[in-house]
Amino acid sequence: MAKVLILGSGGREHALGWKMAQSEQVTEVLFAPGNGGTAVGKGRNIPLDGQVKHWEALAKLIQQEQIALTVVGPEAPLAAGLVDFLQSRGLTRVFGPSQAAAQLEADKFFSYKMMEKLNIPQACGVCCTSMAAAKEAIQTLASGRGIVLKVRGLAGGKGVVVCHTRAEAMERLPLLVDTFGSEILVAERLSGPEFSVFGISDGSRVRLIEIGLQDHKPLYDGDVGPNTGGMGAYGPAPLVSSTMIRHIADSVMTPIVREFKAQGTPYTGFLYAGLILTEQGPKVLEFNVRFGDPECQPTMCLLKDDLYEVLTRSFDVNSAFAKLSFLPGAACCVILSSQGYPGPIKKGLPVSGLDDAAKLPGVQIFHSGTKRVGDRIETAGGRVLSVTAYAPSGLVEATKRAYEAVASISIEGGFHFRTDIAAKAVS
Ligand code: AMP
Ligand code: GLY
């Protein structure tokens, strides 16, 4: 019998913990800090998070509670070295990459160079360390479709500027350099539909999540408006065949994991490749060292295997390498966000209708940014709820069910959501 700790507070963490709680081996799921939806059933919230100042307390918690498995949800504590810190305390059952391996997301120069070395298809680019070098790269790179400027380090989703022309890139460069410094990856702009592929690495092998997922990052319908953390996701995306996913596993995920192993810094944890399907085939836009949010929410609704067992196996390189299995059909997640998101928002607004929504067939309401105050749920973040629905018959029904659930929820003062999640795939 085992206790699990999930670090993080979003919809991704709620979905991971929800799935974990379905394991017969799991007696309790602790969330640090969790949210208004996580302390139910086997769930318990602990008022700690991934900031360095809480690491000592997290180590103590894992020891005192005899946690059998810790899963780190977001990238920031991974990039800061939480896994290494816990391992140095003898706590080895922590699922997520080391600081060295987390550079794959935290350092765009590092990932660009690794992909170049491994011949992984990506946009042509130049790693620049001064404004002058960036200007020169903007002038010399092929720019038929435009130029993309990427800040080298983690920038909370604000570090990528997609420009349609060289002139626009020249104009936007100074503000980016002022805000984030002069280490900028200048790359050609690619075009095509985007999708994500996920795997679970044990340091040597990748267990593939064999469904293509699509996120919807822009705020408004039709993919317009400011970029967000993601306004909805669905899978399996019909755009991504199993052959394509397996090709990506062989030509992208496995070489990355082998390279980390060869460098002496094995990559363990979720591996997330963000791809774009160009006329020349799929190319990698970025790697992340965690699960995607909201892609995780529909994925957890589709995964058949016991998540506790799957993740625990990744600590044993001698374990049998079984394929992951998924339910037939599809799942769709619609994000409800606070008015004003991704800009400033008001918190503490009451949320209602959750119980009715959760009673609808196939519907699972994961909380993203909420807080429980007495017996009421209040808003506590930009993305408030991840309304997710599964349907065995496929995406049309899953999407319909998700939007039916959205219709029974209200938030004082209103909320925003996209009405076209998965629309391109079902039309
Ligand atoms: P990244 O954090 O590198 O994934 O970039 C965030 C978003 O910027 C991606 O999801 C794409 O929509 C866009 N993007 C990044 N790189 C490129 C590129 N080379 N060409 C076109 N769009 C890009
Ligand atoms: N779905 C986008 C992300 O998790 O970064």
Side-chain angles (χ1 to χ4, degrees), residues 12 105 196 198 215 217 228-230 272 286 288 290-295 383:
R12 166 182 53 210
E105 174 167 358
S196 316
F198 298 88
D215 183 10
K217 279 189 184 145
T228 69
Y272 166 158
E286 63 164 345
N288 295 314
R290 50 177 175 80
F291 221 111
D293 187 343
E295 291 98 319
R383 290 190 289 179

Side-chain angles (χ1 to χ4, degrees), residues 108 123 148 150 160 162 188-190 194 217 285-286:
K108 296 244 190 237
V148 181
K150 298 187 181 195
V160 176
V162 179
E188 65 169 331
R189 178 172 172 245
L190 301 174
E194 291 179 39
K217 279 189 184 145
L285 289 178
E286 63 164 345

Side-chain angles (χ1 to χ4, degrees), residues 271-336:
L271 176 59
Y272 166 158
L275 297 120
I276 186 163
L277 187 55
T278 71
E279 282 154 8
Q280 295 91 43
K283 294 191 179 186
V284 175
L285 289 178
E286 63 164 345
F287 285 109
N288 295 314
V289 298
R290 50 177 175 80
F291 221 111
D293 187 343
E295 291 98 319
C296 185
Q297 290 84 312
T299 308
M300 289 305 118
C301 291
L302 289 164
L303 181 66
K304 249 196 203 165
D305 299 273
D306 178 325
L307 183 64
Y308 176 74
E309 225 176 270
V310 169
L311 298 194
T312 302
R313 271 195 193 190
S314 72
F315 294 101
D316 177 8
V317 286
N318 298 315
S319 66
F321 199 67
K323 234 175 116 163
L324 295 173
S325 50
F326 295 90
L327 295 171
C332 172
C333 167
V334 179
I335 298 284
L336 308 197

Side-chain angles (χ1 to χ4, degrees), residues 199-219:
I200 295 168
S201 171
D202 65 5
S204 302
R205 307 167 294 184
V206 184
R207 285 182 90 182
L208 191 62
I209 292 182
E210 224 176 296
I211 15 179
L213 276 301
Q214 265 191 312
D215 183 10
H216 298 59
K217 279 189 184 145
L219 183 64

